[in-house]
Amino acid sequence: MNMPRKFAVLGNPIKHSLSPRLHALFAQQTGLQIEYSKQCVEPAHFRDHVKQFFAAGGCGLNITLPFKEQAYALADPRISDRARAAGSANTLWQENGEIHACNTDGVGLVNDMLRQHITLHDSRILLIGAGGATRGVMPALLQAGCAHLHIVNRSEDKAHALAAQAAALPGPQAQVTASAFSALQGTWDIIVNATSSSLSGQTLPLPDNLFRTNSVAYDMLYTADGDTPFLQQARNGGARQTSDGLGMLVYQGAESFRIWNQIEPDAAPVLTALRMELTGSV
């Protein structure tokens, strides 16, 4: 009998993670035997925990907050172009006794947007926030061929620093700008909330006229019913197309699954099943 391949997600906190269920659905779909656990790790023990996991025969790790930068440093220089561009990693695996890393957040966001027929090429994109979530997806949005990427943040210095990093990335050339909320102006095709504001129920200090009927509002966080305070704010402002980040979670997980197992799962039916489970409609 074949032993199941062992995977885990590491974070702190981690109780809320849907990754074990997500990867169980991928395994069921592809006929693989896996064990996938979620493990809460103290920051001081992260490096040792990762090394012990692989030494015990583990096949792959997903990494969530607050460890993505530590994961990047642990694997450096055996990091993918995606992880290098993002400056962080959310997917680890081992080859020839050495740990490798990738960042699948950006491809997860882009693939979920493409699933929803959101046009990225030549679009004007507003990214709200200048933390790790923005860093993780910014390179993929630029690679998708957007025309203008604007980063807005409470701390203007952080926004400008991130814009300078974005402008220096290789690949398609887009206009990259930054500002504080107080200086935000213009119209945007896609508005992405990459902050944690929805977790605390906060609304963002956005201009009243920011959203238009043809604007797309995307919150990288997700809830059981697909609604968040940011998406409510967007609809109240007139946006007709809104999306939470459950699809991003599923598609980034699908890319991790592909890296680990050399099998590409079909993310769309897994997303449907997971949404139904979350809303209690199964």
Side-chain angles (χ1 to χ4, degrees), residues 22-33 250 254 257 263-271 273:
L22 171 63
H23 285 273
L25 289 169
F26 287 147
Q28 183 179 15
Q29 181 191 91
T30 57
L32 290 185
Q33 271 195 304
V250 172
F257 191 92
I263 299 174
E264 187 162 355
D266 185 355
V270 171
L271 172 56

Side-chain angles (χ1 to χ4, degrees), residues 5 19 31 42 44 58 78 101 118 133 141 143 248-249 262:
R5 292 169 59 78
S19 290
E42 293 302 318
R78 297 168 298 279
I118 297 169
L141 292 172
Q143 283 291 335
M248 176 181 169
L249 172 77
Q262 290 76 55

Side-chain angles (χ1 to χ4, degrees), residues 120-141:
L120 293 166
H121 189 72
D122 285 339
S123 63
R124 293 169 51 81
I125 301 177
L126 173 65
L127 262 178
I128 304 171
T134 294
R135 271 203 313 276
V137 302
M138 185 175 68
L141 292 172

Side-chain angles (χ1 to χ4, degrees), residues 5 7 23 26 30 32 62 80 82 91 93 102-104 107 111 250-266:
R5 292 169 59 78
F7 304 94
H23 285 273
F26 287 147
T30 57
L32 290 185
N62 282 132
S80 70
R82 288 178 192 156
T91 303
W93 68 99
C102 186
N103 190 312
T104 66
V107 71
N111 284 343
V250 172
Y251 279 92
Q252 67 80 24
E255 180 64 7
S256 294
F257 191 92
R258 183 196 65 78
I259 290 169
W260 295 328
N261 301 298
Q262 290 76 55
I263 299 174
E264 187 162 355
D266 185 355

Side-chain angles (χ1 to χ4, degrees), residues 21 41 48 53 57 86 135 145 165 260 277-278:
R21 181 58 183 150
V41 182
D48 288 343
F53 175 85
R135 271 203 313 276
Q165 289 180 34
W260 295 328
E277 290 179 12
L278 279 175

Side-chain angles (χ1 to χ4, degrees), residues 33 36 55 63-64 69 79 86 106 109 133 138 161 175 188 190 194 196 208 255 268 274:
Q33 271 195 304
Y36 191 111
I63 308 298
T64 187
E69 291 182 7
I79 53 178
L109 174 63
M138 185 175 68
Q175 182 183 5
W188 306 95
I190 303 168
S196 59
D208 292 337
E255 180 64 7
L274 204 57

